[in-house]
């Protein structure tokens, strides 16, 4: 694992996340983690080819997948399918196990890939699966997830456990029918991904609504509509939240002055940066830096 990238969302040119794998030679990231309101990795929309599973141990949280919010209680597990736009939401302190594994781990042969893997990861009507409560597989999936942190550095054991998890995913998916509210995948998702990537690569400069919309060759009204659909906020609000997260990252990882950080994150001065940052993190940049220093 690249410790310099812990807690950060690092992206490729197409906007997809570069997952910070535990071992560069094996595509998995497993963590016995925690979250609470306003941590920097909350509400960070992203997507990746990897399968992402979250099992909630304590507290309540939600996952937004393609604009739909799914509540998760202790004992629940969610599988987010490949290339879906998703992010976590923490209304309170929560403990969970997260397991992110590239589907190539399952592709032991062309037959397995074509018959048992691609029909799921390429299914537009299957953005996620939730295992909870009386679901016949929920307990078994949850127990498997709890074992994952203990084997996070053992590629062979991870492979075996992921195949077992995938078998439950396959069984659940085999009788999965999207309800009327969910519908099928929105063909405009790629437009949103393009705009999300444009903001990620341009946030340090002056970015306007017109420029964001132009990056996907759509109107400003459709741009606003897509951001509200997928992340529940306007494009400019999304931009400001991204800048604030970058500010938080610099405050945690560097000794740069607030003036330097403001210039590096696209804010026009320390005063405006501090005012905007407080709205996102409920404290000033200086207070945030002191709080983080006190945890180390």
């Amino acid at each position: 694992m690249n410790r310099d990238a812990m807690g950060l969302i690092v992206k490729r040119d197409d906007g997809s996340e570069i997952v910070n794998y535990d071992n560069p030679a094996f595509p998995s990231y497993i963590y016995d983690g925690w979250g609470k309101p306003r941590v920097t990795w909350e509400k960070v929309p992203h997507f990746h080819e990897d399968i992402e599973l979250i099992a909630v141990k304590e507290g309540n949280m939600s996952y937004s997948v393609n604009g739909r919010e799914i509540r998760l209680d202790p004992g629940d597990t969610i599988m987010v399918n490949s290339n879906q736009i998703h992010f976590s939401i923490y209304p309170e302190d929560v403990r969970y196990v997260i397991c992110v594994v590239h589907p190539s781990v399952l592709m032991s042969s062309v037959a397995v890939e074509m018959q048992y893997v691609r029909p799921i990861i390429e299914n537009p009507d299957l953005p996620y699966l939730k295992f909870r409560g009386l679901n016949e597989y929920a307990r078994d999936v949850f127990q498997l997830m709890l074992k994952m942190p203990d084997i996070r550095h053992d590629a062979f054991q991870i492979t075996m456990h992921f195949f077992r998890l995938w078998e439950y995913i396959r069984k659940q998916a085999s009788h999965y029918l999207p309800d009327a509210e969910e519908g099928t995948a929105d063909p405009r998702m790629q437009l949103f991904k393009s705009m999300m990537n444009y903001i990620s690569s341009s946030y340090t400069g002056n970015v306007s609504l017109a420029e964001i919309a132009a990056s996907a060759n759509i109107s400003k009204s459709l741009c606003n509509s897509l951001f509200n659909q997928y992340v529940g906020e306007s494009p400019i609000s999304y931009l400001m939240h991204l800048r604030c997260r970058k500010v938080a990252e610099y405050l945690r990882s560097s000794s740069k002055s607030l003036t330097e950080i403001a210039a590096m994150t696209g804010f026009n001065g320390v005063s405006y940066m501090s005012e905007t940052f407080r709205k996102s993190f409920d404290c000033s940049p200086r207070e945030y830096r002191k709080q983080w220093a006190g945890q180390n």
Side-chain angles (χ1 to χ4, degrees):
M1 175 189 289
N2 177 6
R3 300 191 68 83
D4 292 337
M6 289 182 67
L8 311 184
I9 301 294
V10 183
K11 298 185 179 182
R12 299 183 177 86
D13 290 342
D14 66 355
S16 61
E17 181 189 359
I18 301 174
V19 177
N20 187 24
Y21 295 134
D22 295 316
N23 182 345
F26 187 80
S28 71
Y29 168 78
I30 300 168
Y31 184 57
D32 193 348
W34 59 273
K36 57 184 177 181
R38 296 188 178 90
V39 290
T40 53
W41 58 91
E42 182 192 23
K43 299 179 182 178
V44 184
H46 59 285
F47 64 97
H48 42 64
E49 291 183 345
D50 306 76
I51 304 300
E52 183 163 325
L53 294 110
I54 288 274
V56 180
K57 297 166 61 177
E58 301 173 12
N60 302 105
M61 63 179 291
S62 297
Y63 245 51
S64 174
V65 183
N66 296 344
R68 182 172 186 179
E69 186 173 327
I70 304 102
R71 177 186 169 93
L72 300 173
D73 300 314
D76 291 349
T77 302
I78 188 172
M79 182 281 285
V80 180
N81 212 346
S82 180
N83 285 313
Q84 308 303 307
I85 299 167
H86 61 282
F87 57 88
S88 55
I89 303 167
Y90 307 121
E92 62 185 35
D93 290 3
V94 63
R95 298 284 309 188
Y96 56 80
V97 173
I98 181 171
C99 178
V100 183
V101 184
H102 196 275
S104 61
V105 170
L106 300 166
M107 298 174 185
S108 56
S109 68
V110 173
V112 170
E113 175 182 352
M114 300 308 294
Q115 295 180 49
Y116 303 108
V117 181
R118 292 205 174 275
I120 293 177
I121 65 174
E122 295 178 355
N123 184 347
D125 294 327
L126 196 66
Y128 70 90
L129 287 173
K130 182 177 178 181
F131 298 88
R132 69 166 307 175
L134 298 177
N135 181 291
E136 60 182 312
Y137 312 122
R139 180 175 175 80
D140 291 334
V141 168
F142 185 73
Q143 291 301 318
L144 277 172
M145 286 292 293
L146 294 183
K147 296 176 182 177
M148 296 301 280
D150 293 332
I151 60 170
R152 63 191 296 255
H153 297 297
D154 188 328
F156 183 71
Q157 290 292 328
I158 294 170
T159 300
M160 288 201 306
H161 277 64
F162 193 40
F163 265 103
R164 293 177 66 189
L165 285 166
W166 196 254
E167 179 62 12
Y168 289 119
I169 290 168
R170 284 186 58 246
K171 289 177 179 177
Q172 179 79 343
S174 68
H175 53 73
Y176 177 85
L177 292 174
D179 57 33
E181 180 184 353
E182 227 168 23
T184 57
D186 189 340
R188 301 179 301 177
M189 184 189 297
Q190 190 56 48
L191 298 175
F192 175 76
K193 288 179 177 179
S194 297
M195 293 185 290
M196 188 169 63
N197 182 47
Y198 175 77
I199 292 175
S200 179
S201 61
S202 308
Y203 73 92
T204 58
N206 293 321
V207 180
S208 68
L209 174 60
E211 290 169 330
I212 297 171
S215 69
N217 197 28
I218 60 175
S219 68
K220 291 187 288 186
S221 61
L222 179 55
C223 172
N224 272 311
S225 176
L226 290 179
F227 270 85
N228 280 310
Q229 174 183 344
Y230 284 109
V231 295
E233 61 182 340
S234 72
I236 299 303
S237 177
Y238 175 89
L239 167 65
M240 291 302 168
H241 285 152
L242 172 62
R243 285 175 172 166
C244 287
R245 289 195 300 272
K246 296 297 182 180
V247 170
E249 290 165 10
Y250 282 121
L251 291 170
R252 293 203 321 261
S253 63
S254 78
S255 58
K256 296 182 184 297
S257 69
L258 297 188
T259 300
E260 291 175 307
I261 293 174
M264 295 171 67
T265 53
F267 283 105
N268 185 20
V270 172
S271 178
Y272 181 44
M273 178 186 75
S274 298
E275 178 186 350
T276 308
F277 186 89
R278 184 179 289 276
K279 292 177 181 177
S280 291
F281 287 90
D282 203 28
C283 64
S284 71
R286 285 189 175 88
E287 291 168 341
Y288 182 88
R289 176 171 265 170
K290 288 180 182 179
Q291 291 172 8
W292 184 260
Q295 296 176 12
N296 293 282

